[in-house]
Amino acid sequence: MVRTTRTSHPLLDAIKNEFKLTSDAYLAKFIGVSAPTISKMRTGTLSVTADFILAVYDATDWKIERIRGYINGSNAGKQSQIFGNDDS
């Protein structure tokens, strides 16, 4: 049996902490995505997309700037593609 190690992801961890969600399954349900999506983001297999950012915005009512701040560390390579700016 292979065990996967959960890795830290600033955005996902911040949502879990603020909304007192006890598992990634609850986090996925809260945001409105599948549990495998959360798992793939944690392992780096899947990048944060614009659709995911909007789902987080809808679920949390956080400002886009706050969400973007959490993403900077976990998805810096894709940042300019997501937000359409050239300052990455």
Side-chain angles (χ1 to χ4, degrees):
M1 180 173 169
V2 176
R3 288 199 165 239
T4 57
T5 303
R6 294 280 180 221
T7 60
S8 177
H9 189 287
L11 177 59
L12 302 179
D13 294 342
I15 297 166
K16 278 180 72 172
N17 290 334
E18 182 155 327
F19 294 94
K20 297 176 179 41
L21 303 170
T22 56
S23 71
D24 280 354
Y26 287 128
L27 174 63
K29 188 171 184 174
F30 178 77
I31 296 172
V33 299
S34 68
T37 297
I38 299 296
S39 178
K40 289 176 184 176
M41 286 183 171
R42 284 205 181 275
T43 61
T45 305
L46 182 65
S47 296
V48 175
T49 64
D51 287 340
F52 185 79
I53 292 168
L54 290 174
V56 169
Y57 173 81
D58 288 341
T60 63
D61 206 26
W62 289 352
K63 291 183 178 187
I64 295 295
E65 292 81 11
R66 180 176 180 183
I67 297 167
R68 185 178 183 181
Y70 290 116
I71 294 169
N72 281 336
S74 65
N75 199 19
K78 301 287 183 187
Q79 185 74 25
S80 61
Q81 293 175 9
I82 293 171
F83 292 102
N85 55 11
D86 296 327
D87 60 313
S88 57

